[in-house]
Amino acid sequence: MFLCLSRNDNNKYIVLLYRVMNRFLSLVFFLLGLVSISMFYYDVFFSIGFSVVVYVLGTFSILYYFLKRRIGFTVVFLWIALLLPFIHMIPYVGFDFINEEAGLLWHLALNPYMQDERIIMLAAMLGAVGGLGILFGQSLSKGKIPYGRIYKLPMKFGHTRTLSMPIWLVWVVAGVGLSWLTAPSETLIFSTYLSSPSFMQGFNFGSAWLVSYVLIIFALADTFFEKDNIKRNIKNIIILFSIAFIVIYLQLMRGDRESIPLVVAVFLAYFYWGSRIDMTRIDFVKQSSLVGLIFLTLLFVSWLLGIVRGSLVGMSSDQIYSHIREIILYNEMDLSRLFYGTWTGIMMTPLSVAGDYVNGSLPLKYGSDYVDFILSLPPGFVADAVGYVRPISAYTGPAHEMTYGIGGNHAVTVPFMNFRMVGVFLIPAFWTYLISRYEKKSMNNMTVVRLSFLCVFVTIAPHWLWYGEKYGMNALIIWAVLGFLYRVSLSIRWRSS
């Protein structure tokens, strides 16, 4: 009895100590953010080296919190997507801005902002403060990711009913069909990337591809909760084949890389969020390593596709094989180029707003961009039908206000344009808190709708963080609407339950 009481007391002290430590870290992250904001308003910026140290130590902190089950993969993915463009700040540590040519570090056309040390300092600081915001936001989210079963057995809950097979097939067919309509009409063998229009190009429905992915995601989530083993196996085969068809034939073979985050979401659904296996500490670390391996594989595929998607037209299968083999083994297999991709161009936007601020040409918008985001929520075809002109569209918005940029808009630029460094710190903190709290709540009691949200978040995160907040808002609305339709679909039965 004494031993039991002693152990219980020890456990209470350990839990108390752990809570005190977390509160202390929350205070540290908040104070660092406050210091960053104060320095900025006194026109003092982090050194480039200090910002890089924040990136590195922040990455180790995220890994620590993940292994301690304080955060899940959504926050890890958020951290990677937000900070990946800022890896191009690392070569500037110790850089001689007087005698060296900065353009060689970017593999992009040289512009004056790349050679200005003060502009580079502020651009690097934007990433560091945004990272501190993520760390602060996740530290506010209480609770831990459970070890045990990732979700409770479906038969215990009435809300885990699944779609009847005919209705489920309608969802799958609708998702695949819409994805087909939004994909380029020809593969890379017959047409170069971006030169082949899709069937829906003239409909002004830019989010149609996202609707198709969310339809597929709901069908995937429904599969995990299917009680009938035979039906679940059939659904698994159909949904995996459908996803493979979309990713390989409708996306990669047409030069598009939009589906890569969808692959990550599907992988996490099967091996993390939707796992039926009791997880131990060792399993948790193993699965983390496996996800890292998958990420590097997808990074390699993305890099290779970026090289070949303009040079395969008219080639036979043998010629394609020889061409890719030559690239990998002889000509262009420069592993350092793995770190240059879409995010390299996106990094131009924090550089642009930093340079405009230093030069005194960046107006303070006081949140007007966020009002425009809300006013631009109606789909393009709906706005066209009623004659409404959206403030933000494919041809207008913050991405078109960049002095330097080749498309897209990093997630720290709009907060900086509207609220300066306060926004860069607090807005990522707000996102992270909500997402981390939702994932913890979901993994304690997973449902189809919750699993769908987590998958949708991972699918849209790079678009949201690299191309603008409107992608995130559209994804949230599409998920909510299809979530309602999913609940309606549950009531449609071909036979009695």
Side-chain angles (χ1 to χ4, degrees):
M1 182 71 176
F2 177 76
L3 291 176
C4 292
L5 289 173
S6 298
R7 288 174 183 172
N8 289 335
D9 290 341
N10 287 337
N11 289 335
K12 290 180 181 178
Y13 286 126
I14 291 173
V15 170
L16 179 61
L17 180 62
Y18 189 74
R19 288 178 178 175
V20 170
M21 183 180 70
N22 286 326
R23 295 294 183 185
F24 173 75
L25 289 175
S26 297
L27 180 61
V28 169
F29 296 140
F30 176 75
L31 291 176
L32 286 173
L34 189 61
V35 169
S36 305
I37 294 168
S38 302
M39 289 177 61
F40 172 78
Y41 281 100
Y42 282 102
D43 211 27
V44 178
F45 305 151
F46 290 167
S47 68
I48 300 171
F50 184 81
S51 292
V52 171
V53 169
V54 173
Y55 306 158
V56 175
L57 293 182
T59 300
F60 280 111
S61 298
I62 289 292
L63 180 61
Y64 168 80
Y65 279 112
F66 174 72
L67 294 178
K68 292 295 184 182
R69 299 178 292 116
R70 290 284 303 175
I71 59 175
F73 271 114
T74 55
V75 178
V76 174
F77 201 71
L78 182 67
W79 178 268
I80 292 172
L82 185 81
L83 269 296
L84 184 58
F86 288 91
I87 62 174
H88 299 303
M89 295 290 102
I90 296 175
Y92 279 106
V93 177
F95 187 80
D96 186 348
F97 284 86
I98 298 176
N99 300 315
E100 293 187 59
E101 187 174 312
L104 297 177
L105 299 174
W106 286 67
H107 286 256
L108 293 175
L110 182 66
N111 68 64
Y113 286 5
M114 291 181 179
Q115 301 178 93
D116 189 309
E117 183 175 10
R118 188 162 172 78
I119 292 175
I120 296 297
M121 288 171 63
L122 179 55
M125 184 178 179
L126 291 177
V129 175
L132 288 172
I134 290 179
L135 291 170
F136 176 60
Q138 63 82 26
S139 70
L140 296 178
S141 177
K142 299 178 181 179
K144 299 178 73 173
I145 303 294
Y147 274 137
R149 290 189 182 275
I150 293 304
Y151 61 78
K152 299 173 183 178
L153 294 176
M155 59 281 299
K156 291 184 179 179
F157 301 96
H159 59 247
T160 51
R161 290 185 304 151
T162 55
L163 298 176
S164 62
M165 184 61 75
I167 298 299
W168 183 85
L169 287 173
V170 169
W171 280 72
V172 175
V173 171
V176 174
L178 191 55
S179 188
W180 197 328
L181 292 174
T182 56
S185 56
E186 295 181 334
T187 65
L188 293 176
I189 299 175
F190 301 101
S191 176
T192 58
Y193 177 61
L194 294 180
S195 65
S196 175
S198 70
F199 292 107
M200 292 192 65
Q201 188 162 328
F203 285 86
N204 196 12
F205 187 22
S207 297
W209 66 273
L210 181 57
V211 175
S212 73
Y213 286 6
V214 179
L215 284 166
I216 289 294
I217 285 171
F218 267 97
L220 172 72
D222 180 88
T223 301
F224 284 93
F225 290 88
E226 177 59 60
K227 305 177 186 69
D228 187 296
N229 289 331
I230 296 177
K231 286 184 179 180
R232 184 168 63 247
N233 291 335
I234 294 173
K235 285 184 176 182
N236 264 316
I237 293 171
I238 294 174
I239 196 66
L240 289 177
F241 176 81
S242 300
I243 292 170
F245 177 78
I246 290 173
V247 172
I248 298 173
Y249 183 69
L250 298 181
Q251 286 286 298
L252 297 182
M253 289 185 64
R254 286 162 166 76
D256 268 334
R257 295 178 285 192
E258 291 176 342
S259 61
I260 290 179
L262 174 64
V263 176
V264 177
V266 172
F267 177 83
L268 292 174
Y270 274 97
F271 295 98
Y272 183 63
W273 294 318
S275 175
R276 292 173 179 265
I277 302 171
D278 288 340
M279 299 172 65
T280 65
R281 190 177 301 271
I282 296 176
D283 291 329
F284 202 78
V285 176
K286 283 183 178 179
Q287 292 196 9
S288 308
S289 303
L290 189 56
V291 169
L293 179 62
I294 293 295
F295 172 76
L296 292 176
T297 302
L298 293 175
L299 190 66
F300 174 78
V301 171
S302 176
W303 164 79
L304 183 61
L305 183 63
I307 293 176
V308 304
R309 62 184 178 180
S311 59
L312 299 182
V313 177
M315 288 188 179
S316 65
S317 57
D318 291 338
Q319 290 173 322
I320 292 173
Y321 172 76
S322 299
H323 180 57
I324 294 176
R325 183 174 181 272
E326 185 177 354
I327 289 173
I328 295 176
L329 297 180
Y330 302 110
N331 290 345
E332 300 181 53
M333 189 55 180
D334 181 2
L335 291 178
S336 65
R337 293 186 63 181
L338 284 173
F339 299 99
Y340 293 88
T342 304
W343 53 88
T344 303
I346 298 303
M347 187 58 215
M348 295 290 287
T349 57
L351 179 76
S352 182
V353 296
D356 290 350
Y357 175 81
V358 170
N359 293 335
S361 59
L362 186 72
L364 183 59
K365 294 189 173 184
Y366 299 102
S368 63
D369 281 334
Y370 290 94
V371 175
D372 288 343
F373 285 141
I374 297 173
L375 296 176
S376 302
L377 289 177
F381 66 91
V382 174
D384 291 344
V386 299
Y388 174 65
V389 179
R390 298 179 298 170
I392 297 177
S393 65
Y395 308 102
T396 58
H400 297 274
E401 299 171 14
M402 299 295 110
T403 302
Y404 297 103
I406 54 178
N409 197 18
H410 193 276
V412 299
T413 60
V414 173
F416 186 71
M417 294 165 68
N418 285 267
F419 306 111
R420 295 298 188 258
M421 205 60 76
V422 173
V424 175
F425 178 69
L426 291 182
I427 291 177
F430 179 69
W431 304 332
T432 307
Y433 170 74
L434 293 181
I435 292 167
S436 178
R437 183 174 179 180
Y438 188 90
E439 184 176 21
K440 290 174 183 176
K441 180 180 179 180
S442 298
M443 292 185 70
N444 277 287
N445 183 17
M446 191 66 79
T447 65
V448 171
V449 174
R450 289 174 179 174
L451 179 58
S452 298
F453 176 86
L454 296 176
C455 291
V456 169
F457 170 79
V458 170
T459 300
I460 201 61
H463 295 82
W464 163 37
L465 295 173
W466 296 350
Y467 293 98
E469 286 84 344
K470 190 172 183 298
Y471 281 93
M473 293 180 178
N474 289 344
L476 184 62
I477 292 173
I478 293 168
W479 167 78
V481 171
L482 291 182
F484 172 76
L485 292 179
Y486 176 81
R487 291 183 174 94
V488 172
S489 299
L490 287 174
S491 63
I492 303 175
R493 295 284 166 181
W494 255 248
R495 62 181 180 81
S496 174
S497 299

